[in-house]
Amino acid sequence: IGEERGKRIGEEIGKKIGEKKAIMKVALSMIQKGLDNETVAELTELTQEEIEQLRRQ
């Protein structure tokens, strides 16, 4: 039972990491196209700090 629960938790964490990476990639494209932080935040639900980190890349 514990092993199955651990597997489910691992799968959920992996899915969330993958989703976050995809959102970050889209946000980076938005930044490169010249969108402002507020628009990127509104469309991606990223924080201002996360957006600033992407801008520094």
Side-chain angles (χ1 to χ4, degrees), residues 1-5 7-10 13 21 23 27 29 35 40 42-43 46 48 52-53:
I1 295 174
E3 186 177 323
E4 185 63 33
R5 182 171 181 252
K7 184 178 176 183
R8 276 197 320 269
I9 291 170
I13 291 170
K21 284 184 177 182
I23 290 169
S29 293
L35 273 70
V40 175
E42 182 181 334
L43 297 173
L46 293 176
Q48 292 293 326
E52 283 302 322
Q53 288 175 352

Side-chain angles (χ1 to χ4, degrees), residues 9-42:
I9 291 170
E11 288 172 351
E12 288 174 22
I13 291 170
K15 182 179 176 186
K16 287 182 185 208
I17 290 171
E19 289 172 355
K20 186 71 165 192
K21 284 184 177 182
I23 290 169
M24 298 290 258
K25 185 176 179 180
V26 169
L28 185 57
S29 293
M30 291 176 172
I31 290 166
Q32 291 169 343
K33 296 282 185 186
L35 273 70
D36 60 276
N37 285 9
E38 291 75 26
T39 303
V40 175
E42 182 181 334

